[in-house]
Amino acid sequence: MVINIKLIANMQAVYILLCMLLSAVLIICTDSFSSNNNLPTNQQHLIASHNKQHIIRQSIFKHFASTDDTIDSSDIRTNNRLLVFGLGNVGSLVAERGSSLQVDNVPFLEEVYGTTRTTNDDIDGVQSIGFDYYQELEKIIPSCTHVLVTIPPLNPSTDINSNYNQHCDPVLNNSKYSIKDILPANIWVGYISSTSVYGNHYGEWVTEDSETKCEAGTRAEVYLKVEDEWRNAATECDWKLHIFRCAGLYSNNRSALHTIRKNGAEVIGNASSTTKIGSPTSRIHEEDVSRVVLSAMNYYESISGDTSLWNLADDEPEVRSKVMAYGAQLLEEANLLPSNKKTDSSTQTVTTKAKQSERTSRRSIDRKRVDAQRMKDLLLPDGKLLYPTYREGLKSILDLNRMKWSSDA
């Protein structure tokens, strides 16, 4: 009996000792977690296990910036589906990049769809759908988690024969179905707009909080109206709306180099005569636009109400004539600068001339520098663009087109 009492007493002592040791371990772990500011960002996100969206977004940022990804989120399954309205330059890049986007070897997007008005828009990993294939779109839209609209707005005076009281967006203004009725709530919606909505700020910097001063009757005013249409729809339908105001877009198949190759070196003189001295304009490479849009698909923090607004521009606004001169210099050094030649004006339609006239007028009147710091701070992994200025962008475009242009000579 005495032995049993001693045995029980010893077991209780051991139990108490174990409890004390366990408590000490828990205190150490708690202190470690509470002071995790010294830990790498990846580990901080892992500790905050209740917030898996941050883990996904951090991983996707690293996808663009580096191949080194130490986050283990293999248990996360996204089952996301993206529909891009308009497989144009920007839409195609977003769709193509999105179709191959991985989160720790797990596809971020299960399906990628894109609308087109032609039959020549085949993109690996992207299912093309005719914009007028309404029945097919009606089946797809309800299953989508992300929708990006890149289609330009309609012109009320020519495209819908109406006034500014009607919708100017072809997606919201579709007569065959109502996207507001079939797109579920809490869905990510992105709209590609333009920095032209800011109008003339006399060469000063504009941010997302700057006043919009676009003139009545301009294309910029239509873009501003469509932005409001999407805001109203997002509020009504409880969508997560992101509006991307893009500066002048250029890419691997449309740039200052392409303009010089097409029109000859004389275009440089024309650029100088139509651009006021000291009136730089902002621009951005479409590759960077696609990176930003895909990153925004995982940005859930609210900035202002139900809408996140982003300026998309590179770090160095510049006068167009200087950009053209630099492009000519690159082409000359590569022995790809064409001789002067005049364009055939007979092949230009009235519509094209009108667009060129408004664009030329806007370049000389709507003077502003676009500040995109918010975009860089919150949507880029290291705060840096692939092409921070036109110089890096044009050099890359030349390298990609060098062989083709050499064979064309």
Side-chain angles (χ1 to χ4, degrees):
M1 183 69 177
V2 175
I3 295 175
N4 290 337
I5 292 174
K6 288 183 177 181
L7 179 61
I8 293 173
N10 290 336
M11 293 178 62
Q12 289 177 337
V14 171
Y15 178 77
I16 293 172
L17 180 60
L18 289 174
C19 288
M20 293 175 64
L21 289 172
L22 181 59
S23 298
V25 171
L26 289 174
I27 291 173
I28 293 172
C29 292
T30 302
D31 289 341
S32 176
F33 285 171
S34 63
S35 60
N36 59 32
N37 290 333
N38 294 325
L39 293 176
T41 302
N42 294 345
Q43 294 182 30
Q44 293 181 37
H45 285 303
L46 288 173
I47 291 170
S49 59
H50 66 280
N51 198 347
K52 288 189 176 181
Q53 292 298 346
H54 283 285
I55 297 176
I56 297 174
R57 185 156 60 91
Q58 183 77 0
S59 179
I60 287 176
F61 285 170
K62 294 174 76 67
H63 169 85
F64 292 115
S66 170
T67 57
D68 179 22
D69 194 341
T70 59
I71 299 176
D72 182 12
S73 56
S74 57
D75 59 331
I76 298 176
R77 295 297 183 267
T78 56
N79 297 321
N80 293 318
R81 292 181 175 85
L82 167 65
L83 171 60
V84 178
F85 279 99
L87 290 178
N89 285 349
V90 171
S92 296
L93 282 173
V94 173
E96 185 175 17
R97 281 180 171 270
S99 66
S100 60
L101 186 59
Q102 299 279 323
V103 180
D104 295 328
N105 299 320
V106 177
F108 170 63
L109 295 169
E110 185 178 85
E111 300 286 350
V112 179
Y113 307 95
T115 69
T116 176
R117 292 189 182 278
T118 70
T119 58
N120 299 320
D121 292 328
D122 293 333
I123 303 173
D124 290 341
V126 180
Q127 300 182 44
S128 297
I129 306 167
F131 182 75
D132 296 328
Y133 291 7
Y134 306 119
Q135 293 182 343
E136 190 170 354
L137 284 172
E138 281 184 299
K139 295 177 182 178
I140 291 172
I141 291 174
S143 68
C144 290
T145 57
H146 298 75
V147 171
L148 176 66
V149 180
T150 72
I151 302 175
L154 300 171
N155 188 327
S157 62
T158 59
D159 294 332
I160 57 178
N161 297 318
S162 183
N163 53 43
Y164 282 88
N165 293 324
Q166 282 195 329
H167 286 310
C168 297
D169 186 83
V171 177
L172 286 174
N173 192 47
N174 199 304
S175 60
K176 300 298 182 179
Y177 63 85
S178 172
I179 192 171
K180 293 194 294 184
D181 293 336
I182 58 179
L183 187 63
N186 205 35
I187 296 303
W188 187 96
V189 176
Y191 179 72
I192 301 296
S193 185
S194 168
T195 56
S196 62
V197 299
Y198 291 112
N200 185 16
H201 284 255
Y202 301 97
E204 296 297 322
W205 290 92
V206 295
T207 69
E208 290 85 352
D209 299 321
S210 297
E211 181 183 358
T212 52
K213 300 179 179 180
C214 52
E215 296 184 2
T218 63
R219 191 70 170 165
E221 185 189 33
V222 181
Y223 266 111
L224 191 60
K225 172 179 170 54
V226 172
E227 286 186 10
D228 288 336
E229 291 178 1
W230 278 106
R231 287 191 186 94
N232 294 335
T235 300
E236 177 183 346
C237 301
D238 196 24
W239 298 331
K240 299 173 182 177
L241 177 64
H242 289 248
I243 293 175
F244 304 94
R245 289 177 175 171
C246 297
L249 298 171
Y250 71 103
S251 67
N252 297 331
N253 55 22
R254 56 172 179 171
S255 70
L257 300 180
H258 292 80
T259 301
I260 297 170
R261 289 277 304 169
K262 178 181 179 181
N263 299 329
E266 68 177 11
V267 73
I268 302 172
N270 294 335
S272 300
S273 63
T274 58
T275 305
K276 291 184 179 180
I277 297 176
S279 301
T281 58
S282 296
R283 55 191 55 78
I284 187 169
H285 197 294
E286 290 173 355
E287 292 280 356
D288 278 317
V289 172
S290 67
R291 295 172 65 226
V292 169
V293 170
L294 286 170
S295 292
M297 290 182 186
N298 296 274
Y299 187 88
Y300 292 100
E301 290 83 348
S302 175
I303 287 184
S304 58
D306 298 326
T307 304
S308 292
L309 180 63
W310 310 96
N311 283 347
L312 273 57
D314 68 19
D315 298 339
E316 187 175 332
E318 188 51 273
V319 176
R320 182 170 179 264
S321 59
K322 289 187 177 181
V323 177
M324 301 298 288
Y326 181 74
Q329 176 186 332
L330 290 179
L331 290 171
E332 185 174 20
E333 292 173 352
N335 293 320
L336 294 173
L337 183 65
S339 58
N340 288 346
K341 56 183 179 180
K342 295 182 179 180
T343 57
D344 184 3
S345 59
S346 64
T347 62
Q348 294 180 323
T349 64
V350 175
T351 302
T352 301
K353 288 182 178 180
K355 289 182 178 179
Q356 290 177 340
S357 176
E358 179 174 337
R359 186 162 55 243
T360 300
S361 174
R362 189 172 68 247
R363 283 171 180 162
S364 61
I365 296 176
D366 288 356
R367 294 174 287 146
K368 58 186 173 293
R369 294 173 170 88
V370 179
D371 184 308
Q373 193 61 44
R374 176 187 291 180
M375 171 267 290
K376 290 188 292 182
D377 287 345
L378 298 177
L379 296 183
L380 294 179
D382 53 4
K384 296 180 180 179
L385 295 160
L386 289 175
Y387 308 103
T389 78
Y390 65 90
R391 286 180 288 271
E392 293 86 358
L394 292 182
K395 285 180 181 178
S396 174
I397 293 170
L398 177 62
D399 290 340
L400 288 171
N401 288 278
R402 188 186 300 269
M403 183 176 296
K404 176 181 180 299
W405 288 342
S406 295
S407 63
D408 290 343

